[in-house]
Amino acid sequence: MRALDELSEIVGAPHLLTSADDRAPYEVDWTGRFRGSAPAVVRPGRAAEVAAVVDVCRAHGLALVPQGGNTGLVGGGVPLEGEVVLSLRRLDAVGPVDAVAHQATAGAGATVGAVQAAAAEHGLRYAVDFAARDTATVGGTVATNAGGVHVLRYGSTREQVLGVEAVLGDGHRIDRLEGLVKDNTGYHLASLLCGSEGTLGVVTAARLRLTARLPHRVVALVAFDGVRGAVEAVAAWRSDLGSLEAAELVLEPGLRLVCEAFGLPRPFDRAWPAYVLVEAAAHHDPTDDLAAAVRAVAPAAVAVAPDRARGAELWRYREDQTLAVATVGTAHKLDVTVPLAALTDFVEEVPRRVAAIHPAARTWIFGHLGDGNLHVNVTGVADGDDTVDELVLTHVAELGGSISAEHGVGTAKRRWLHLTRSAAEIAAMRSIKRALDPDGILNPHALLPGE
Ligand code: 2HG
Ligand code: ZN
């Protein structure tokens, strides 16, 4: 194909992958649920090459799917309709870190873990954090506005992005990496690209906000005799515990599954319906503050980690949920926000409703309690059967929640976008898409429903 020759000229033959074996890892997502096929995977090494790749694809009408670490969970980064994969992983430079401004520049292909490590070298910290930190990339996390376990204190990726360097779908390059905290000169294009899922432009680098490194950190696992108690506790901690860093929900079936799947000891001598993994971090030791805040909510049981190693062990009960569910089967993953007032009933109601239509299915729920963000994973339902997705997402919409809290819409959820976005909003999004990607080559099958 002529276009492939041109792409090869831009990136060099070793970086245009065309054999089935070379392409394979880029054609399927982490869960194995979303699998496609690409004529080629193109791996540019510089932003200028990304721009040249976009130009060639525009000229030939070739659709592109930008891809970072390929840790997405909604089929937004794999070539489901035969698109060319544009892998940004080679753009993995981190730095410079500006220790005065508390900012860093990072290439789209740098992992979140690499940014965290670079920040730590300067006594600072990158606040975005989640289990896939060492694979997920800056470009992917900007494109999806990734959340994670610290959103309740620091906000999601969008709150950390001060500017981006990107190639828009129309071929224009934007370059705003100065990191000005205050700059009210028109549309904030970085915010627009953040969460646009590769449909408007390809992010090649980002200027990221770093936060102070808090040297004292304490972790506890707190058990409750129901979800309601857990929700109320987190509400109290948000008011009273200034050092609150994370408040993550685990339910007994998920905790049992992690213990069985990975041979972990049970944290308490008996089971409780709900657990909250709570972390506090501060300039001074927050242990006493955390202990007082936990006591004040009268929990059923508490395990406080006396040191970092035990803290990491406690985190596994929460962070390993995804890996544990994967040992049961390929899950339908529904990443939703539920208003806190409705969250307790939702957690009880959803497994009942799922069981009513799929008696053999299992529903696993965990998530970021402080944000009202629950991860509903359903195993035992065929990949192509989306009745369970329909059921959960419709219920979420009825409650006034969101069909995607942090993973994005991708290809998996676009047919339900109308549930929580109005016709006017979708029309506005389409207008923006047409303006920035007039040839419709950037991730054309993600996010917006087909017309
Ligand atoms: C998490 O919070 C991730 O662990 C993954 O967002 C959620 O596997 C999932 O559904
Ligand atoms: Zn999550």
Side-chain angles (χ1 to χ4, degrees), residues 70 310 380 390 401:
N70 199 10
R310 180 69 184 135
E390 170 89 19

Side-chain angles (χ1 to χ4, degrees), residues 50-223:
V50 176
V53 166
V54 170
D55 279 344
V56 165
C57 289
R58 286 178 58 226
H60 291 274
L62 264 185
L64 282 170
V65 172
Q67 188 185 92
N70 199 10
T71 58
L73 296 171
V74 287
V78 280
L80 297 180
E81 302 287 340
E83 301 90 339
V84 169
V85 173
L86 171 54
S87 169
L88 282 309
R89 270 188 249 179
R90 288 180 64 219
L91 302 178
D92 61 356
V94 182
V97 173
D98 183 338
V100 176
H102 288 198
Q103 297 176 1
T105 298
T111 63
V112 168
V115 178
Q116 292 172 343
E121 275 174 31
H122 291 79
L124 294 165
R125 181 156 165 261
Y126 183 49
V128 174
D129 195 29
F130 47 85
R133 59 184 73 80
D134 292 323
T135 315
T137 58
V138 166
T141 53
V142 171
T144 56
N145 184 28
V149 295
H150 293 147
V151 172
L152 95 171
R153 188 165 192 180
Y154 302 99
S156 55
T157 299
R158 182 175 287 121
E159 279 76 52
Q160 325 308 323
V161 174
L162 293 158
V164 294
E165 177 195 75
V167 181
L168 301 179
D170 64 5
H172 283 110
R173 288 177 68 178
I174 56 175
D175 181 352
R176 190 130 308 278
L177 296 175
E178 299 86 351
L180 302 180
V181 173
K182 301 185 90 170
D183 177 17
N184 268 353
T185 51
Y187 305 145
H188 200 263
L189 298 175
S191 294
L192 178 61
L193 289 180
C194 193
S196 66
E197 303 190 32
T199 63
L200 304 178
V202 182
V203 173
T204 52
R207 183 73 170 176
L208 301 169
R209 185 190 303 279
L210 304 178
T211 62
R213 196 180 75 84
L214 300 173
H216 299 278
R217 192 165 283 277
V218 52
V219 178
L221 188 67
V222 187

Side-chain angles (χ1 to χ4, degrees), residues 318 368 373 375 406-407:
R318 164 61 184 87
H368 314 287
N373 172 189
H375 296 305
E406 57 176 8
H407 297 167

